[in-house]
Amino acid sequence: EAQVTQNPRYLITVTGKKLTVTCSQNMNHEYMSWYRQDPGLGLRQIYYSMNVEVTDKGDVPEGYKVSRKEKRNFPLILESPSPNQTSLYFCASSPPARDFSYNEQFFGPGTRLTVL
Amino acid sequence: GQNIDQPTEMTATEGAIVQINCTYQTSGFNGLFWYQQHAGEAPTFLSYNVLDGLEEKGRFSSFLSRSKGYSYLLLKELQMKDSASYLCAAVDSNYQLIWGAGTKLIIKP
């Protein structure tokens, strides 16, 4: 089954404790992206990747890191989480951005993160 | 700057028709997406428009006017399961998605 998976789905942690949220897709998509979603603000892009070893900042990259060593995986790293990073996080993938006109993004199930 | 506007919340009655509007201002334009998102779940694709006009898909239709920077999603024969948020997203000249904050649709019996 074609899908985007994220782990963990729920996480409660404390300020300053490094964490990683994994994202994996099995559709051979080149483009992957991380979003956070907060009430009233909609989806805001954190980082995106056009292909392996190519990553770029989105609208709200501060406090986050990503890596793209393999095509299928795109982990999100919070080196020193803070309470303002409490949010619902979505990973998404799609075929190449140049073909964006014809292909939607596929979203993972989401990770609800609480930082105390 | 780039901006997407859509109403925060709308209420409609089961069996009725509702139109959710979206206006956009982007640097270049390569189409507009509509997604549905149930509470706590991932967004799922509904429609994509790049040319002016109406595209119909069952109970859902989406309209685009590029000259007016305007789109709407039309939902017919509303069902309780249509209670969700509806997200509008425009594709800019760099093929990046610019997302609206979403419209929460409440369906009443």
Side-chain angles (χ1 to χ4, degrees), chain A residues 16-35:
Chain A
K17 186 176 181 182
K18 181 179 178 179
L19 67 92
T20 299
V21 184
T22 63
C23 172
S24 183
Q25 50 94 6
N26 62 1
M27 295 168 279
N28 203 36
H29 286 163
E30 292 182 12
Y31 184 93
M32 296 186 75
S33 180
W34 274 105
Y35 295 94

Side-chain angles (χ1 to χ4, degrees), chain B residues 58-78:
Chain B
R59 294 190 299 115
F60 291 11
S61 303
S62 55
F63 171 84
L64 177 68
S65 169
R66 294 176 67 127
S67 62
K68 295 181 179 177
Y70 167 69
S71 173
Y72 67 73
L73 181 69
L74 191 71
L75 292 75
K76 301 177 186 175
E77 300 168 18
L78 285 169

Side-chain angles (χ1 to χ4, degrees), chain A residues 31 35 37 40-43 45 48 50 90 97-98 100-105 107-109 112, chain B residues 30-31 33 35 37 40-45 48 50 87 91 94-97 99-102:
Chain A
Y31 184 93
Y35 295 94
Q37 188 175 36
L41 295 179
L43 286 167
Q45 191 177 53
Y48 64 96
M50 306 279 267
F90 289 104
R98 62 183 178 275
F100 225 89
S101 297
Y102 306 101
N103 293 287
E104 76 273 19
Q105 288 196 342
F107 284 83
R112 189 167 292 280
Chain B
N30 281 300
F33 286 94
Y35 282 79
Q37 185 180 25
E41 297 182 8
T44 55
F45 170 79
Y48 172 78
V50 67
L87 312 181
V91 186
N94 294 319
Y95 289 95
Q96 294 302 308
L97 281 172
W99 292 88

Side-chain angles (χ1 to χ4, degrees), chain B residues 4-5 14 17 22 25-26 28-30 40 42 44 62 64 71 77 80 91 100 107:
Chain B
I4 303 280
D5 283 316
E14 190 176 15
I17 299 173
C22 170
Q25 289 178 300
T26 56
F29 180 75
N30 281 300
T44 55
S62 55
L64 177 68
S71 173
E77 300 168 18
M80 297 304 293
V91 186
I107 309 296

Side-chain angles (χ1 to χ4, degrees), chain A residues 6-11 21 87-90 109-113:
Chain A
Q6 293 179 228
N7 282 291
R9 294 288 313 279
Y10 303 90
L11 179 61
V21 184
S87 188
L88 179 58
Y89 291 86
F90 289 104
T111 295
R112 189 167 292 280
L113 172 66

